[in-house]
Amino acid sequence: MSESESQVWDAVDAYFTDQLSPDDEVTAAALRDSEAAGLPAISVTANQGKLLQLFAEIQGARAILEIGTLGGYSTIWMARALPADGRLISLEYDPRHAEVAVRNIARAGLDKVVEVRVGAALESLPLLADENPPPFDLVFIDADKANNPHYLEWALKLTSVGSLIVVDNVVRGGRVVDADSDAGDVLGTRAAVELIAAHPRLSGTAIQTVGAKGYDGFALARVLA
């Protein structure tokens, strides 16, 4: 990627964001407070936040599962698509991240529909399944990439026909094509993509993106009968 290409990508991203998905006071404050608390600057972009909100609206989602809360920025975008009696459960490993997210979500007026659960997701997910919740209409996976295939398997258990599953950050800066890589994020991402490709209950694709977060992308899968 040349510097001129990066500048064009950033300019186009800024134009689309300004026109279609500008941050408001609430989402801007969520980003600001996350930065002030020292959280890593890895939240989704505003454009992707709006995309997640649109996915939820298209789904007519009443129940959303998020794996990886960080500061609650993506949580807020998705929760805004829920009806008053909807439910979003977000799983976050780091208690400090969860504290920031809970404050951001409350300021957004969404604490009645959002619940942040703290702990390792692979421990929280079986407990959630034991509750026998109604199927989630949308699942957003944006946590440690090495465990992507495990998160995807749990997403399948917690969804039903027509549900949508989004797996973020699948390009890994292009490293996803390295079949010889022993990096955990690449291995986990490749395993998740291959699971989508092979699983009889999933139909999916993956999209490369460029913009404010550089070279990235996401996978999208629909649950079949």
Side-chain angles (χ1 to χ4, degrees), residues 4-21 47 210-212:
S4 60
E5 286 176 324
S6 177
Q7 290 172 342
V8 171
W9 294 350
D10 289 351
V12 172
D13 215 30
Y15 169 72
F16 286 149
T17 297
D18 290 345
Q19 292 295 316
L20 302 171
S21 54
N47 269 334
V210 295

Side-chain angles (χ1 to χ4, degrees), residues 110-121:
L110 295 166
D111 48 317
K112 297 294 190 296
V113 296
V114 175
E115 177 187 359
V116 178
R117 299 188 179 187
V118 182

Side-chain angles (χ1 to χ4, degrees), residues 47 56-57 89 130 139 157 179 197 205 225:
N47 269 334
E57 291 171 347
I89 295 177
D130 286 344
V139 179
K157 295 175 183 177
T205 190

Side-chain angles (χ1 to χ4, degrees), residues 27 29-45 48 66-76 78 88-105 107 114-119 121 140-145 168-169 213:
T27 54
L31 291 176
R32 188 168 58 248
D33 285 6
S34 296
E35 180 181 8
L39 273 60
I42 55 174
S43 296
V44 302
T45 62
Q48 189 178 2
E66 179 180 47
I67 303 175
T69 317
L70 195 60
Y73 183 75
S74 55
T75 319
I76 291 168
M78 291 187 290
L88 190 157
I89 295 177
S90 189
L91 309 181
E92 174 53 46
Y93 175 77
D94 191 314
R96 186 169 57 91
H97 295 180
E99 288 178 8
V100 175
V102 167
R103 290 197 299 270
N104 286 333
I105 291 162
R107 179 172 50 216
V114 175
E115 177 187 359
V116 178
R117 299 188 179 187
V118 182
F140 180 47
I141 299 173
D142 189 16
D144 55 310
K145 310 310 175 187
D168 202 16
N169 308 127
K213 293 183 68 175

Side-chain angles (χ1 to χ4, degrees), residues 2-217:
S2 70
E3 184 176 353
S4 60
E5 286 176 324
S6 177
Q7 290 172 342
V8 171
W9 294 350
D10 289 351
V12 172
D13 215 30
Y15 169 72
F16 286 149
T17 297
D18 290 345
Q19 292 295 316
L20 302 171
S21 54
D23 277 309
D24 55 29
E25 292 183 7
V26 169
T27 54
L31 291 176
R32 188 168 58 248
D33 285 6
S34 296
E35 180 181 8
L39 273 60
I42 55 174
S43 296
V44 302
T45 62
N47 269 334
Q48 189 178 2
K50 182 63 174 292
L51 180 64
L52 291 168
Q53 180 180 314
L54 287 169
F55 282 156
E57 291 171 347
I58 292 166
Q59 286 292 98
R62 303 186 66 83
I64 298 172
L65 173 63
E66 179 180 47
I67 303 175
T69 317
L70 195 60
Y73 183 75
S74 55
T75 319
I76 291 168
W77 277 105
M78 291 187 290
R80 284 175 166 176
L82 287 170
D85 61 348
R87 185 187 193 197
L88 190 157
I89 295 177
S90 189
L91 309 181
E92 174 53 46
Y93 175 77
D94 191 314
R96 186 169 57 91
H97 295 180
E99 288 178 8
V100 175
V102 167
R103 290 197 299 270
N104 286 333
I105 291 162
R107 179 172 50 216
L110 295 166
D111 48 317
K112 297 294 190 296
V113 296
V114 175
E115 177 187 359
V116 178
R117 299 188 179 187
V118 182
L122 291 180
E123 296 176 4
S124 299
L125 287 162
L127 298 175
L128 176 58
D130 286 344
E131 297 171 15
N132 195 29
F136 290 96
D137 306 296
L138 174 65
V139 179
F140 180 47
I141 299 173
D142 189 16
D144 55 310
K145 310 310 175 187
N147 281 314
N148 272 345
H150 305 303
Y151 297 145
L152 185 55
E153 288 167 351
W154 275 107
L156 268 170
K157 295 175 183 177
L158 291 163
T159 52
S160 62
V161 177
S163 295
L164 203 61
I165 302 171
V166 182
V167 184
D168 202 16
N169 308 127
V170 297
V171 172
R172 314 310 302 154
R175 292 184 298 120
V176 71
V177 300
D178 184 0
D180 297 323
S181 175
D182 59 359
D185 63 331
V186 173
L187 292 171
T189 299
R190 287 177 64 91
V193 171
E194 290 160 14
L195 179 58
I196 293 172
H199 203 288
R201 292 188 58 224
L202 289 173
S203 175
T205 190
I207 302 296
Q208 301 180 78
T209 62
V210 295
K213 293 183 68 175
Y215 181 32
D216 208 336

